[in-house]
Every structure is written in structure tokens, then in C-alpha cells.
Amino acid sequence: MSLRLEPLQPNSSKDPLLDVESAQLEVKKKDENRCCRCCGIPRKLGLMKYWFIQDACGIICAVFTYLLILYGIFAVTMVILLPYGIDFYTLVHGVLFNALAISATVAHVRTMMTDPGAIPLGNATKDRLNSLGLKVGQVVYRCPKCISIKPERAHHCSVCRRCIRKMDHHCPWVNNCVGESNQKYFVLFTMYICLMSLHALGLVVNHFIHCVKSQWGNECTHFSAPATVIFMIALTFEALLFSLFTAIMFGTQVHAICTDETGIEQLKREKPTWAKQTHCMAMRAVFGSQFSIGWFNPLVTPDVSSGKTQSCMYSV
């Protein structure tokens, strides 16, 4: 069987297969899970056992995200709801807001700690190529950076230092790529953050009206009136900013799923070489099953093979 293999260097006169084998020696020296070894904290916390991108910017953004969620819980619970005491209003809104916060946090963790669909490093070997069952003269694309066979619709991420199946984009806020295996969690994260923000805005407006009518009486504030105003302004700014940002991201993700085109493919205006799926099949491919309550549960792991029209689409 003969085949073409895109070489590491366009002008290289060496045998591409021999070039791969020599390049693999260098690739295998790299950590399977990518990036910098900045402070050693991830290793001390045992995160190296899992998929975790050691990118300083991404780690800072992820920690900042958790701090913003914690501030939202503090402001809603202690500043807005606590002055009303324990009654039906505070219980309903307290439980609802904290449920959204927990769901958003779990979705964020799963987005960050889930392999988005990375191609194994250095798998462009003779044995692997022979096992693909390629036709005579068929072109096989190989990433010159991670020495991996690139399946259709896979792209290389310079931060993760891996080729990612059906890569949409790399998001520093979740310190990971959004790809085939974790797109569901990212969609849920943006949805729950947007709902949290809108809920917080509604509570702020209602609390402000109540305080104005009561002339900022003792039953209105758990803290001093100036401190309450500052907390509410900060919460309002945070809620407005992130409701807008996550609503746009959520809409963009749903549109990309329904059109069966990733963010990178839309940005590069790539001409589809694959058979596009229907809206229902595309959603099923991301959420891993037919429509059910499990779509909204970040603890449910999606079956990424569900909804695919080609079982060998990602055979490597």
C-alpha cells in the first residue's frame, strides 16, 4: 500500500516516515499534559494525574472566576436576602441562586479538567498509519508540532500543545480548549453563569426599590447603608458584565453546534468537507444522548460517539 504523508518540513528531502520516527524522540520528552511548569503547585495538589493545563494565565483566570462566583453568593445571601429574615422569599431565591452557582462551578471544573479530545502525542507511526486502512494514494495530514495524525476537523492548540478533535477555541477562563469531549460542560457553564447574573440583577433591583421605600431602615440592611450600596453596585456591575458576556458566548456556542461548524472553522471560513448533521443530530453529538434532563446536569458525562454519522470520523 502506498500513501502520501505530509512532511514535517515542506522542502524536506527525507523520507517522511523516517522523519516522524526521529522527531518522536523529542516529542516524547514533553509531558503528556502540556505547557509550562510554572510554580509546581498543580503537581503538589495532585492535579498532574488529571487533564490540567499548566498555563499561568489560564490558572489565574480560573481562580478569578471562582472568586467572582463566591462574591456573588456572598452579596446575594448576606447583603440582599439576609435582611429579610428566614421566610418563603429568601428560601426560594437563596436555594435557586446557590443551585445555579453550584451548577456553574461544577460545569467549570468539568470543562477545565476534561480532556477536550486531544490526539495522542507522536502517533504518526508506520504501524498506526497501516492500521488506518487507507486507500492507495490517500493523503494523511500530520501535525509538525506534536507529530500526531490530524483527523478531519482537528486543530492544533498552541497553549495546550496538542491537536484537539473538533476544536472550537481555547478559553483562558476555563483554562482549557473547548472541543469534542467537553463542549457540553462549557455550554452549561455559560448558561448557568448567565442565569445567575440575571437572577442577581433582579434581586438587586427589587432590594433597591424596597430600601428606597423604607428609607434604608434597619430591616433593609445587614451592613451599614454605605457598605450595602457599595456591595450592590459591585454586584450590579459584575452581573451586567457577565450576563452580557456569557449570553453572547452561549448563543455563539448553540449557533456553532446547530450549524455543525466550530468557531475556528467559521473564523477561517473553511469550506465544509464533511457531511453536515441536522440540528438535532448535532446537539445530540455534543450532549451525548437524546434530549433529557441529563443535558442540563454537568455531572452527566456525554457519550461523544452519540449522533455521529461516521463511526470512523476520528479513528486515531
Side-chain angles (χ1 to χ4, degrees):
M1 180 182 68
S2 62
L3 53 87
R4 290 174 54 198
L5 181 66
E6 189 177 80
L8 288 174
Q9 302 297 334
N11 298 324
S12 175
S13 60
K14 297 182 180 180
D15 182 351
L17 291 175
L18 295 177
D19 195 16
V20 167
E21 291 177 349
S22 61
Q24 283 175 339
L25 296 176
E26 179 181 351
V27 173
K28 289 181 179 179
K29 295 178 182 178
K30 299 179 181 179
D31 187 359
E32 276 269 325
N33 190 7
R34 343 25 49 185
C35 300
C36 66
R37 300 178 181 274
C38 47
C39 58
I41 294 178
R43 189 176 297 277
K44 293 178 182 178
L45 294 176
L47 296 177
M48 298 301 295
K49 300 177 183 178
Y50 308 97
W51 178 273
F52 183 77
I53 303 301
Q54 298 183 70
D55 176 60
C57 177
I59 293 173
I60 292 172
C61 288
V63 171
F64 188 58
T65 299
Y66 296 138
L67 292 177
L68 289 173
I69 292 176
L70 287 175
Y71 176 75
I73 294 174
F74 162 77
V76 168
T77 304
M78 303 299 295
V79 178
I80 295 178
L81 297 180
L82 187 61
Y84 292 99
I86 306 299
D87 57 15
F88 180 78
Y89 175 84
T90 57
L91 284 176
V92 169
H93 287 285
V95 170
L96 177 59
F97 186 85
N98 283 277
L100 292 174
I102 293 173
S103 298
T105 303
V106 173
H108 184 279
V109 171
R110 297 216 67 182
T111 306
M112 180 171 61
M113 304 292 287
T114 298
D115 181 343
I119 308 300
L121 285 172
N123 71 343
T125 62
K126 290 182 180 180
D127 292 339
R128 174 63 68 177
L129 290 169
N130 291 332
S131 68
L132 293 179
L134 301 171
K135 298 179 181 179
V136 175
Q138 187 171 354
V139 176
V140 179
Y141 292 97
R142 179 194 61 210
C143 176
K145 297 178 182 178
C146 57
I147 322 301
S148 300
I149 301 172
K150 291 184 69 173
E152 186 180 40
R153 306 185 72 182
H155 294 84
H156 184 85
C157 175
S158 59
V159 180
C160 297
R161 296 186 180 179
R162 299 290 288 276
C163 284
I164 308 297
R165 294 185 180 95
K166 206 176 176 184
M167 175 181 170
D168 187 87
H169 70 288
H170 182 92
C171 179
W173 291 103
V174 297
N175 189 35
N176 201 1
C177 275
V178 177
E180 181 183 68
S181 300
N182 68 346
Q183 190 173 21
K184 169 192 172 178
Y185 308 130
F186 183 75
V187 171
L188 292 182
F189 169 68
T190 56
M191 182 185 74
Y192 285 127
I193 289 293
C194 183
L195 293 176
M196 274 182 64
S197 301
L198 294 175
H199 189 193
L201 282 174
L203 291 174
V204 167
V205 171
N206 180 71
H207 190 63
F208 179 78
I209 294 174
H210 172 76
C211 290
V212 169
K213 289 182 177 179
S214 64
Q215 297 182 351
W216 299 90
N218 294 331
E219 72 282 0
C220 178
T221 59
H222 179 69
F223 301 93
S224 63
T228 299
V229 171
I230 293 174
F231 286 139
M232 290 175 62
I233 290 175
L235 180 62
T236 301
F237 179 77
E238 176 187 350
L240 282 173
L241 179 64
F242 283 96
S243 62
L244 179 62
F245 176 72
T246 54
I248 293 174
M249 288 301 301
F250 176 77
T252 301
Q253 287 294 301
V254 172
H255 177 265
I257 295 171
C258 290
T259 57
D260 197 16
E261 289 186 3
T262 65
I264 291 180
E265 291 163 352
Q266 292 177 354
L267 184 64
K268 292 184 176 181
R269 296 182 179 179
E270 295 184 1
K271 194 172 183 179
T273 58
W274 60 93
K276 285 195 172 185
Q277 303 181 87
T278 63
H279 296 349
C280 293
M281 292 298 289
M283 293 293 287
R284 180 178 172 182
V286 171
F287 288 90
S289 66
Q290 294 182 347
F291 180 78
S292 67
I293 193 67
W295 279 26
F296 305 98
N297 187 351
L299 294 175
V300 175
T301 302
D303 177 10
V304 296
S305 64
S306 177
K308 283 186 180 177
T309 55
Q310 301 178 32
S311 60
C312 58
M313 185 182 297
Y314 301 122
S315 57
V316 300

